Amino acid sequence: MSTDIKKIAKELYAAHKEAREVDRFTAASPAFSLAEAYEAQRLLLAHHLTGGDTLVGRKMGLTSRPKMQQMGVHNPIHGFLTASMHVADGGEVALRGRIHPKIEPEIAFVLKRELGGRPSVAEALAAVEGVCGALEVIDSRYRNFEFQLPDVVADNGSSSAFLLGAKLVRPQHLDLANLGITVEVNGRAQLFGSSAAILGHPGRSLAALVALLDEEGKTLPAGSVVLAGAATAAIPLTPGSRVRATFQGLGSLEARAGA
Ligand code: OOG
Ligand code: MG
């Protein structure tokens, strides 16, 4: 029996809308494949767009060892970012409407021109307008954040919201291969990391994303925002907490969790 991709996308969209967890699909359908999962993700995006949202970029996930170890899944994946997922720097991330949100520091790229094909890291970075620090809120729609690779791909890489730092810096003005990152919660340092954790260099994540999209016959349009993947494990977003991420050369940004 083949997997019902349409049903999976519909269930994940409903789980997102209603902030309710579902069981991972690979439990009931062990044959659910990665190719089917990306198809389900495309259908999930179509549900969001039909609901009035717009596509503003892409995210990479599981590009660092801390994340792979935390989640028990060991291959980079990608997902989409929509306009309604964006929260302003310093803004509130509502906990109502989310299931079990976590937050993680990311490096983001903003493209000045379209990127397609299979670029080298240098070619990919040449299309970048600027780099900024970012935070991603992830909120797996799966019970206990438990999934296998096809499940998390279908669920848009657990993505829920993202915040971008105000300081946009040209990539050539940064030592992107080793930017220090600190995350403080309510003023206390909780996580330390380096951009080196992201495939050795976040530019590799960008180039890998473009190559993965090329396999689907897609490109990254000018203006796209790309999250390269978290450099550290994610931490639970607790009610009323303030999470501040500081990036060497890129300043800091802050998210406030709602009640
Ligand atoms: C999967 C999403 C991973 C990242 O930055 O590695 C991700 C998860 O942890 O639920 O966004
Ligand atoms: Mg992430």
Side-chain angles (χ1 to χ4, degrees):
M1 196 186 71
S2 69
T3 317
D4 191 343
I5 317 280
K6 277 192 188 157
K7 186 158 170 268
I8 287 176
K10 218 172 148 188
E11 280 188 29
L12 285 171
Y13 187 61
H16 155 76
K17 282 281 176 203
E18 297 157 24
R20 123 179 106 67
E21 6 178 57
V22 296
D23 289 318
R24 67 180 169 92
F25 298 102
T26 50
S29 311
F32 184 31
S33 71
L34 195 57
E36 288 172 324
Y38 276 108
E39 188 54 36
Q41 190 198 101
R42 281 190 284 279
L43 297 178
L44 178 65
L45 172 60
H47 282 297
H48 284 273
L49 300 181
T50 304
D53 217 342
T54 48
L55 179 66
V56 297
R58 302 276 173 179
K59 62 157 284 181
M60 286 291 275
L62 305 170
T63 48
S64 70
R65 194 175 291 276
K67 284 293 303 182
M68 291 183 194
Q69 279 170 346
Q70 182 180 31
M71 305 321 296
V73 176
H74 298 269
N75 298 74
I77 57 169
H78 67 89
F80 56 81
L81 300 175
T82 62
S84 74
M85 292 164 71
H86 181 241
V87 175
D89 177 10
E92 182 181 295
V93 177
L95 296 192
R96 206 163 297 147
R98 293 192 160 85
I99 305 163
H100 40 204
K102 298 185 199 174
I103 192 159
E104 54 190 22
E106 303 252 350
I107 299 283
F109 295 104
V110 179
L111 293 198
K112 63 180 170 201
R113 53 182 166 77
E114 185 187 30
L115 256 178
R118 302 183 64 85
S120 65
V121 173
E123 285 163 346
L125 291 176
V128 168
E129 170 84 53
V131 181
C132 61
L135 284 165
E136 184 185 19
V137 178
I138 53 171
D139 190 31
S140 174
R141 269 53 65 168
Y142 298 112
R143 205 172 307 288
N144 303 325
F145 251 96
E146 271 169 28
F147 45 71
Q148 292 181 359
L149 196 58
D151 302 299
V152 64
V153 164
D155 184 32
N156 194 28
S158 308
S159 203
S160 181
F162 66 100
L163 298 89
L164 301 174
K167 192 170 173 188
L168 202 62
V169 179
R170 294 242 182 91
Q172 58 272 31
H173 294 159
L174 287 167
D175 179 16
L176 258 186
N178 190 13
L179 293 181
I181 303 169
T182 313
V183 180
E184 289 157 80
V185 180
N186 297 329
R188 293 173 74 174
Q190 282 228 343
L191 291 172
F192 299 95
S194 162
S195 61
I198 306 161
L199 297 178
H201 188 302
R204 283 205 190 112
S205 178
L206 176 62
L209 169 66
V210 179
L212 286 166
L213 290 173
D214 186 58
E215 285 175 22
E216 300 174 23
K218 294 196 176 75
T219 62
L220 264 178
S224 294
V225 174
V226 174
L227 299 182
T232 69
I235 45 179
L237 197 55
T238 50
S241 59
R242 282 180 302 107
V243 180
R244 168 167 288 270
T246 305
F247 300 80
Q248 197 180 346
L250 294 172
S252 29
L253 74 155
E254 186 171 282
R256 289 182 295 113

